């Protein structure tokens, strides 16, 4: 059960990350062929944009349950770092647009944390008890 929930979350995280290549391909299509030829790309991007925060919240809930049945608490552990990074990503995305100093930079911070998340997930899978 613990492993299954963990793997479900890994799949959801990969789905979350797909927003970036989809966005880039949409923007490239607009640039090369014009907005009227990018309608389908735009629809796919919009679906992913709308579901992104919902899936993010689901990952946090599954992560909390997965950690709780694994340990019954949240000690300093690679899993806690993975979950903490996702919660931080959520906070950056929700508060970033509202905070003056973060309005322009929150997307880069969110993406940078995504890269850190990728490394932490690998560590959590292969060297789970490193700390
Ligand atoms: C969203 C965040 C998380 C993801 C994506 C995740 C992912 C995973 C995955 C894929 C596995 C199975 C690895 C395998 O089959 O070899 C796993 C196992 C495990 N995770 Fe997580 N995890 C997360 C959060 C946490 C948290 C918060 C904790 C605890 C504080 C935790 C503790 C564990 C433990 C103890 C195992 C080993 C379970 C066993 O072998 O029976 N994880 N995790
Ligand atoms: C609770 C967690 C999360 C929340 C609430 C959240 C929210 C958001 C929001 C609101 C956007 C802007 C979408 C738009 O263009 O309108 C966004 C973009 C993005 N998110 Fe997340 N996100 C979360 C977790 C994640 C995770 C786990 C990943 C990666 C695995 C991720 C990767 C990205 C990427 C790559 C972008 C595109 C950034 C850009 O436009 O340059 N997010 N996120």
């Amino acid at each position: 059960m613990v492993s299954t929930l963990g793997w479900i979350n890994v799949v959801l995280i990969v789905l979350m990350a797909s927003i970036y290549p989809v966005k880039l391909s949409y923007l490239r299509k607009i640039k090369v062929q014009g907005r009227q030829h990018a309608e389908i790309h735009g629809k796919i991007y919009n679906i992913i944009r709308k579901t992104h925060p919902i899936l993010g919240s689901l990952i946090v809930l599954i992560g909390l349950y997965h950690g709780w049945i694994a340990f019954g608490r949240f000690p300093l552990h690679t899993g806690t770092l993975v979950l903490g990074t996702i919660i931080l990503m959520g906070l950056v995305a929700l508060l970033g647009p509202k905070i003056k100093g973060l309005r322009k930079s929150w997307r880069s911070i969110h993406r940078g944390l995504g890269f850190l998340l990728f490394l932490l997930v690998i560590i959590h899978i292969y060297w789970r008890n490193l700390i």
Side-chain angles (χ1 to χ4, degrees):
M1 177 74 160
V2 178
S3 285
T4 311
L5 289 173
W7 285 112
I8 289 174
N9 255 356
V10 171
V11 171
L12 291 177
I13 289 171
V14 171
L15 272 179
M16 292 289 276
S18 74
I19 192 174
Y20 198 53
V22 170
K23 175 185 170 178
L24 291 185
S25 116
Y26 173 49
L27 294 179
R28 201 175 309 122
K29 186 94 180 167
I30 291 180
K31 201 172 165 199
V32 175
Q33 296 184 7
R35 199 167 279 278
Q36 63 274 31
H37 291 283
E39 216 174 290
I40 293 173
H41 283 65
K43 278 191 181 137
I44 296 171
Y45 178 48
N46 266 336
I47 292 171
I48 294 184
R49 272 178 75 179
K50 280 191 189 127
T51 48
H52 190 84
I54 302 166
L55 278 190
S57 313
L58 188 64
I59 293 173
V60 172
L61 290 179
I62 294 175
L64 283 171
Y65 186 55
H66 162 91
W68 185 256
I69 53 177
F71 283 140
R73 62 198 173 93
F74 294 93
L76 184 57
H77 182 260
T78 54
T80 312
L81 294 184
V82 171
L83 189 58
T85 305
I86 295 171
I87 293 172
L88 193 59
M89 291 180 80
L91 289 176
V92 167
L94 296 177
L95 302 178
K98 297 190 177 82
I99 298 171
K100 214 174 165 210
L102 286 180
R103 226 163 267 163
K104 281 191 181 142
S105 58
W106 78 264
R107 276 170 200 276
S108 315
I109 299 171
H110 193 76
R111 280 203 307 269
L113 285 171
F115 183 69
L116 174 68
L117 177 67
F118 176 73
L119 296 179
L120 288 173
V121 168
I122 300 285
I123 291 173
H124 184 58
I125 291 172
Y126 291 105
W127 302 280
R128 190 160 29 253
N129 297 315
L130 197 65
I131 51 163

